Amino acid sequence: MADLTLHNIGELTTNDGQKTADGCVVVADGQVVFAGSAADAPSQDGNQVDCRGNTVLPGFVDAHTHLVFAGDRSDEFRRRLEGESYSEIAAAGGGILATVEATRACDADELFELSSSRVKRMITAGTTTLEIKSGYGLDLETELRILKVAKRLGEEMPVTVKTTFLGAHSVPPEFKGDSDAYVDAVIEMLPVVSEFADYCDVFVEHGVFEVPQARTVFEAAAEFGLGARVHAEQLSHLGGAALAAELGAASADHLDHATAEDARALADAGVVAVLVPGASFTLGSPQAPGPMLLEAGCEVALATDCNPGTSYFEAMSPIIALAVVQMGLTVDQAVRAATLGGAVSLGLDGHGTLKPGAPADLMILDAPSAAHIPYRPGTDLVAEVYKAGQRVA
Amino acid sequence: MADLTLHNIGELTTNDGQKTADGCVVVADGQVVFAGSAADAPSQDGNQVDCRGNTVLPGFVDAHTHLVFAGDRSDEFRRRLEGESYSEIAAAGGGILATVEATRACDADELFELSSSRVKRMITAGTTTLEIKSGYGLDLETELRILKVAKRLGEEMPVTVKTTFLGAHSVPPEFKGDSDAYVDAVIEMLPVVSEFADYCDVFVEHGVFEVPQARTVFEAAAEFGLGARVHAEQLSHLGGAALAAELGAASADHLDHATAEDARALADAGVVAVLVPGASFTLGSPQAPGPMLLEAGCEVALATDCNPGTSYFEAMSPIIALAVVQMGLTVDQAVRAATLGGAVSLGLDGHGTLKPGAPADLMILDAPSAAHIPYRPGTDLVAEVYKAGQRVA
């Protein structure tokens, strides 16, 4: 007995074999029972939704966000675009440490309220699974507060949340000039924060954390059961991707400056390449080599990188548009990366697909094909969103 | 006696002097009576709207659209991005002539239904004034049908519409290889179409219409009272901008390849530069030199160029984001261009401002400043839209 049947689907993307026209999805107990050609559907009872020739695809899996934060950096954004340098802005109290200051000053309920408004818009825009990083606390108390808020978002809102401890996001003022001491402090946070985190992440970049420091953090985190996600090769080529491959990380993220050698290493090690074209767009820097990473055999994921400094995107549709128009992914590659790719990076079996047994996380687009997402980049086409078979937007 | 008072405005942009904090807008009989600091407001009665520190600005004026069309070219978009050349696509029946074929086959009511759904989304996204071009008919009957549908959109929907006859958009199949004969045919349409058009436009481009052909059309159109808008210097530098300056056109549009000399000529002649960053984004081509045009003294407008081939944008907010992030306009320049700039190009005095006597066309953003529009490029921040003082979205 089905609870829900979506019929008259014009283009059905299941990430489980071919696309189907005249598609049908049958849901029972929050899971997909059947997704395919209507002619083959076993039963079509329950609540009936006529998709009127529109598109159905899995809910978006946004595998890289920093969405739990306080403060407003729009003025800094404005000043940067009007020619002020990042170092001038940082010297005037701007940059990531401005967000750290605002987030430290914000209690858990305020932080939840700010963050849940972002997550609500994300769900409305089709996201059903989210990764959320800490990293705007940089001390034990605030990192813990951020991770708890992130977990609470997943408990109280209709979205699956995986959390990542990013204590090594930046060196806080208290440790200015002594990143080794701060690395030690990060490692000391692990016994406590690991209770609320699924992964650990380090921003591997010149002037932030070097590869040996990152290796130390990841090895310590592994002892507490945390998988690795690596901010790698964003602003320069430093070796974060090779480290991710060496460690068998869950993901290497950004990768704007990844080489063909990095791509092969990531593919061989089964590390998902999580690409964030919104950051490159905002910064006016070149897009990551998505086609090259796919060519090398990497699983690619797309993510918003939602953060108040360099990529304040919430919806995944514009990210798909950027990936297609600016990065050179095909529509099919981008849609897979925005759904299944993210789920693979988060170890969520079945998520990002509509195969039998998968959670019935899906959306109906007000368009005859998913190609309309990048074809109509400024228009929100997400008409209905379902989480575990329940309509949530 | 006021009908409507918006108070507690965090950032008020009037395009009539300075920005104001703690702003207030008072509306009576559909017009702005006062916009400025709350302390100076003469009366604050009528329906009260508490803006709770959010931003108020004039409604967007989208000064360049081709939104009355039928058909779907998403598959062509997909193929082009996957490497197929435009000439291969055109040879297979794609390109602008595919839209012409679909539009010719569509009766007025169908065309109105398709177009009004676009306009409805535009209004929800903050647009209160629109320019709409014909150009997907390329015969008298269909050009007339498009212009009548465009006028009907302005009559039946809460949006001011100005229409432009773009018979010279492309050479139709019936005149293949003989653009001079088609120019004569366009001129023969003028006595009839001019009743439903405010402006005339010509696509001045290598292989489409040359400058002398365009001059002939514009001079004939002027006799029927139609001002000139010119598709100029989009794909190459051909002299459309100089022609626009020579003719004292209302606008020169696109201008991706405009030179400093063009900019001075446009500024001297008072021709508004209508820039369409969505087209350059979609085509992956360089953005028009917006800062150079402003530097030369041009009034600059921003527009969606909403069309099914090269810029299927409906909302103006992502256009502002592209203008700021990719073209290099400041936030203030982009907001002015998206409001007052478009109104100047359409000869609509007062529109695009909130000065006393202007139509009360305005929006409330769910954000503390207009800088949030490009700062959060994937999020629709338009919370409430008013047309002539009436809430329409």
Side-chain angles (χ1 to χ4, degrees), chain A residues 72-74 77-78 81-82 121 281 308 312-314 324-326 330 332 368 371-372 374-377 379, chain B residues 72-74 77-78 81-82 121 281 308 312-314 322 324-326 330 332 368 371-372 374-377 379:
Chain A
D72 182 339
R73 283 163 60 194
S74 60
F77 168 86
R78 185 202 293 255
L81 287 162
E82 291 177 6
R121 288 187 292 269
F281 170 80
Y312 201 160
F313 281 86
E314 294 170 331
V324 169
V325 173
Q326 295 201 320
T330 67
D332 292 348
H372 277 246
Y375 174 53
R376 299 165 64 180
T379 301
Chain B
D72 182 340
R73 283 163 61 194
S74 60
F77 168 85
R78 185 202 292 256
L81 286 163
E82 290 177 6
R121 288 188 291 270
F281 171 80
Y312 201 160
F313 281 86
E314 294 169 331
L322 290 170
V324 169
V325 174
Q326 295 202 319
T330 67
D332 292 347
H372 277 246
Y375 175 53
R376 301 165 63 181
T379 300

Side-chain angles (χ1 to χ4, degrees), chain A residues 87-389:
Chain A
S87 53
E88 287 169 324
I89 287 166
I96 182 178
L97 295 180
T99 299
V100 170
E101 192 180 339
T103 304
R104 285 179 175 180
C106 195
D107 73 25
D109 284 339
E110 290 173 296
L111 211 44
F112 181 83
E113 191 180 327
L114 288 167
S115 306
S116 62
S117 72
R118 292 173 197 130
V119 172
K120 189 174 175 209
R121 288 187 292 269
M122 288 170 157
I123 293 170
T124 303
T127 296
T128 53
T129 298
L130 267 174
E131 187 259 16
I132 304 176
K133 300 176 197 296
S134 67
Y136 292 123
L138 309 185
D139 60 29
L140 178 60
E141 181 190 344
T142 319
E143 289 292 307
L144 201 56
R145 192 187 314 142
I146 294 170
L147 290 168
K148 286 180 178 175
V149 166
K151 286 286 182 199
R152 186 177 155 202
L153 291 165
E155 288 155 11
E156 298 189 14
M157 302 185 78
V159 64
T160 300
V161 169
K162 290 282 180 180
T163 57
T164 300
F165 170 55
L166 178 56
H169 192 197
S170 184
V171 177
E174 308 87 81
F175 289 85
K176 193 174 175 184
D178 193 354
S179 62
D180 280 337
Y182 183 59
V183 165
D184 292 341
V186 166
I187 289 170
E188 283 167 21
M189 297 182 206
L190 284 168
V192 180
V193 295
S194 58
E195 195 186 333
F196 301 94
D198 304 298
Y199 295 94
C200 180
D201 195 344
V202 177
F203 186 19
V204 181
E205 187 60 65
H206 283 296
V208 191
F209 298 101
E210 303 291 328
V211 170
Q213 295 176 314
R215 186 184 287 109
T216 309
V217 173
F218 285 126
E219 286 174 352
E223 292 180 25
F224 291 93
L226 304 188
R229 312 182 80 81
V230 188
H231 273 72
E233 330 297 7
Q234 180 187 1
L235 305 172
S236 62
H237 188 268
L238 190 63
L243 178 66
E246 173 196 325
L247 297 172
S251 71
D253 300 45
H254 284 280
L255 298 174
D256 297 15
H257 292 81
T259 64
E261 196 180 343
D262 292 332
R264 281 190 299 274
L266 294 172
D268 289 349
V271 180
V272 179
V274 178
L275 309 182
V276 292
S280 302
F281 170 80
T282 303
L283 295 170
S285 56
Q287 292 290 348
M292 185 264 276
L293 289 155
L294 284 164
E295 183 77 18
C298 290
E299 183 78 43
V300 167
L302 289 169
T304 58
D305 191 17
C306 180
N307 80 74
T310 57
S311 185
Y312 201 160
F313 281 86
E314 294 170 331
M316 285 289 282
S317 291
I319 300 301
I320 291 175
L322 290 171
V324 169
V325 173
Q326 295 201 320
M327 189 185 281
L329 300 198
T330 67
V331 173
D332 292 348
Q333 289 167 343
V335 169
R336 178 190 165 103
T339 53
L340 181 55
V344 172
S345 87
L346 294 168
L348 291 166
D349 190 40
H351 285 247
T353 77
L354 298 177
K355 63 185 180 190
D361 296 355
L362 55 87
M363 76 188 88
I364 306 174
L365 294 185
D366 185 15
S369 75
H372 277 246
I373 296 173
Y375 174 53
R376 299 165 64 180
T379 301
D380 176 15
L381 298 170
V382 177
E384 298 186 17
V385 183
Y386 292 80
K387 178 69 182 173

Side-chain angles (χ1 to χ4, degrees), chain B:
Chain B
M1 291 293 290
D3 302 323
L4 172 69
T5 298
L6 287 81
H7 62 89
N8 197 9
I9 299 170
E11 182 186 275
L12 171 61
T13 298
T14 63
N15 286 328
D16 181 33
Q18 291 305 298
K19 282 193 193 176
T20 309
D22 187 23
C24 173
V25 176
V26 182
V27 174
D29 297 327
Q31 294 189 327
V32 176
V33 174
F34 171 85
S37 174
D40 304 328
S43 69
Q44 300 189 31
D45 45 7
N47 182 20
Q48 299 289 312
V49 177
D50 180 354
C51 297
R52 292 173 299 154
N54 285 315
T55 302
V56 169
L57 64 160
F60 293 130
V61 179
D62 186 352
H64 182 136
T65 85
H66 307 247
L67 71 86
V68 179
F69 64 85
D72 182 340
R73 283 163 61 194
S74 60
D75 189 58
E76 172 189 321
F77 168 85
R78 185 202 292 256
R79 282 152 52 206
R80 185 157 46 81
L81 286 163
E82 290 177 6
E84 207 166 328
S85 76
Y86 189 81
S87 52
E88 288 168 324
I89 287 166
I96 183 177
L97 295 180
T99 300
V100 170
E101 192 180 339
T103 305
R104 285 179 176 179
C106 196
D107 73 25
D109 285 339
E110 290 173 297
L111 212 45
F112 181 81
E113 191 179 326
L114 288 168
S115 306
S116 61
S117 71
R118 293 174 196 128
V119 172
K120 189 173 173 206
R121 288 188 291 270
M122 289 169 155
I123 292 169
T124 302
T127 297
T128 52
T129 298
L130 269 173
E131 185 260 16
I132 304 176
K133 300 178 196 296
S134 67
Y136 293 123
L138 310 185
D139 60 28
L140 178 59
E141 182 190 343
T142 318
E143 289 292 307
L144 201 55
R145 193 187 314 140
I146 295 169
L147 290 169
K148 286 179 178 175
V149 166
K151 285 284 181 200
R152 188 177 152 202
L153 291 166
E155 287 155 11
E156 298 189 13
M157 301 185 78
V159 64
T160 301
V161 169
K162 289 283 179 177
T163 58
T164 299
F165 170 55
L166 178 56
H169 191 198
S170 184
V171 177
E174 308 87 79
F175 290 86
K176 194 176 175 182
D178 193 353
S179 62
D180 280 337
Y182 182 59
V183 164
D184 291 342
V186 166
I187 289 169
E188 283 167 22
M189 298 180 205
L190 284 168
V192 181
V193 296
S194 58
E195 196 185 333
F196 300 93
D198 304 299
Y199 294 94
C200 181
D201 194 345
V202 177
F203 186 19
V204 181
E205 187 60 64
H206 283 296
V208 191
F209 298 100
E210 303 290 329
V211 169
Q213 293 175 316
R215 185 184 285 108
T216 310
V217 173
F218 285 126
E219 286 174 352
E223 292 180 26
F224 292 93
L226 304 187
R229 312 182 81 81
V230 188
H231 272 73
E233 330 298 9
Q234 180 187 3
L235 306 172
S236 61
H237 189 267
L238 189 63
L243 178 67
E246 172 196 325
L247 297 172
S251 70
D253 300 44
H254 284 279
L255 298 174
D256 297 16
H257 292 81
T259 63
E261 195 179 344
D262 292 332
R264 282 191 298 274
L266 294 172
D268 288 348
V271 180
V272 178
V274 178
L275 308 183
V276 292
S280 302
F281 171 80
T282 303
L283 295 170
S285 57
Q287 292 290 350
M292 185 264 277
L293 289 155
L294 284 164
E295 183 77 16
C298 290
E299 182 79 43
V300 167
L302 289 169
T304 59
D305 192 15
C306 180
N307 79 75
T310 57
S311 185
Y312 201 160
F313 281 86
E314 294 169 331
M316 286 290 282
S317 291
I319 300 300
I320 290 174
L322 290 170
V324 169
V325 174
Q326 295 202 319
M327 189 185 280
L329 300 197
T330 67
V331 173
D332 292 347
Q333 288 168 342
V335 169
R336 178 189 165 105
T339 52
L340 181 55
V344 171
S345 86
L346 294 168
L348 290 166
D349 190 41
H351 285 246
T353 76
L354 297 178
K355 64 186 177 188
D361 296 356
L362 55 88
M363 75 188 87
I364 306 173
L365 295 185
D366 184 14
S369 74
H372 277 246
I373 296 174
Y375 175 53
R376 301 165 63 181
T379 300
D380 176 16
L381 298 170
V382 177
E384 298 186 18
V385 183
Y386 293 79
K387 177 70 182 172
Q390 300 294 315
R391 183 157 179 196
V392 295

